[in-house]
Amino acid sequence: MTAPEGRGIAGQTDTFRILHVSTGNVCRSPITERLTRHALVDRLGDPLQGGLIVESAGTWGHEGAPMEANAEVVLADFGADATGFVGRELLDEHVIRADLVLTATRDHRAQVISMGHSAGLRTFTLKEFTRLVRAIDPATLPDASDEGVVERARALVRAAAALRGWLLAPTAEADEVYDPYGAPITFFRSIGDEINQALDPVVTALTGVSTPR
């Protein structure tokens, strides 16, 4: 089964699902998921009012596992909520339902795309998507206050996909978020900072609302 433009199994058009993918779904993708939710609340008050749904899974996901303790510490540093997180293994249905898949590494991106489901045009590494988003003129996107956040988000993904072959990474490593699993808290915090910096322009572009000051 394929899902054109990532509209989901049921063909829903009133929501926009963001799926974050890493390996075990206990470090990088949980941090990215919860930081995204936190940033959306800062900008929209309640992201669900805008129709945005944020999830995560792992290509070798620790199904039912809690988030790594150091990942929880990193989220607390940013004031984000780690409550209730449960690890998931990446399944076809997650990819089918996703409107945007953001992965930690290029290998994860390749694995998602290899699952099919027309995923190629809506799957990016996080840092790759950030680089592409920075090159998109916000004025060319739908106004979220007029047409809604969902339509703006879909237009952003299409614009980023169109730029992908033209705006290449300076190095292969530039698109990677390295795995902190088993590392000390100092490395987890550096990865958290890296993820947060990459997410900020993405969430701003998705919502049309800048970081609150």
Side-chain angles (χ1 to χ4, degrees):
M1 176 183 291
T2 59
E5 297 187 48
R7 296 292 176 92
I9 296 171
Q12 292 182 335
T13 58
D14 57 346
T15 59
F16 183 93
R17 288 181 179 268
I18 303 169
L19 176 66
H20 293 294
V21 175
S22 62
T23 303
N25 195 216
V26 291
C27 298
R28 287 168 291 181
S29 51
I31 290 173
T32 315
E33 173 196 318
R34 294 306 174 95
L35 286 181
T36 303
R37 291 187 186 182
H38 182 65
L40 289 172
V41 169
D42 277 350
R43 288 164 171 78
L44 301 178
D46 178 1
L48 291 179
Q49 290 180 359
L52 302 182
I53 299 170
V54 186
E55 303 171 313
S56 65
T59 55
W60 291 90
H62 299 180
E63 188 73 29
M67 191 184 307
E68 281 288 294
N70 281 346
E72 292 191 8
V73 171
V74 167
L75 290 175
D77 289 345
F78 288 101
D81 186 9
T83 304
F85 180 85
V86 178
R88 302 192 305 176
E89 182 177 356
L90 181 66
L91 302 176
D92 288 273
E93 65 188 71
H94 302 145
V95 177
I96 290 169
R97 290 167 62 86
D99 295 279
L100 172 62
V101 184
L102 296 176
T103 69
T105 70
R106 292 166 296 152
D107 282 346
H108 296 134
R109 182 185 64 195
Q111 289 179 65
V112 172
I113 293 172
S114 73
M115 295 171 74
H117 314 303
S118 305
L121 292 178
R122 50 196 167 90
T123 303
F124 309 80
T125 74
L126 171 62
K127 287 187 173 181
E128 174 191 22
F129 195 65
T130 301
R131 184 177 69 255
L132 297 171
V133 161
R134 289 184 185 277
I136 296 168
D137 182 355
T140 64
L141 300 173
D143 188 328
S145 61
D146 292 333
E147 300 184 50
V149 174
V150 169
E151 286 306 313
R152 180 184 177 92
R154 289 200 182 111
L156 181 69
V157 173
R158 291 193 297 269
L163 277 176
R164 187 178 351 224
W166 298 93
L167 192 63
L168 303 178
T171 65
E173 291 72 25
D175 283 343
E176 305 281 288
V177 175
Y178 292 107
D179 193 355
Y181 185 77
I185 187 60
T186 50
F187 188 64
F188 264 85
R189 284 189 162 122
S190 71
I191 292 298
D193 287 339
E194 201 173 306
I195 290 170
N196 190 61
Q197 288 175 25
L199 279 175
D200 183 68
V202 169
V203 177
T204 296
L206 284 166
T207 62
V209 181
S210 301
T211 310
R213 298 300 179 188

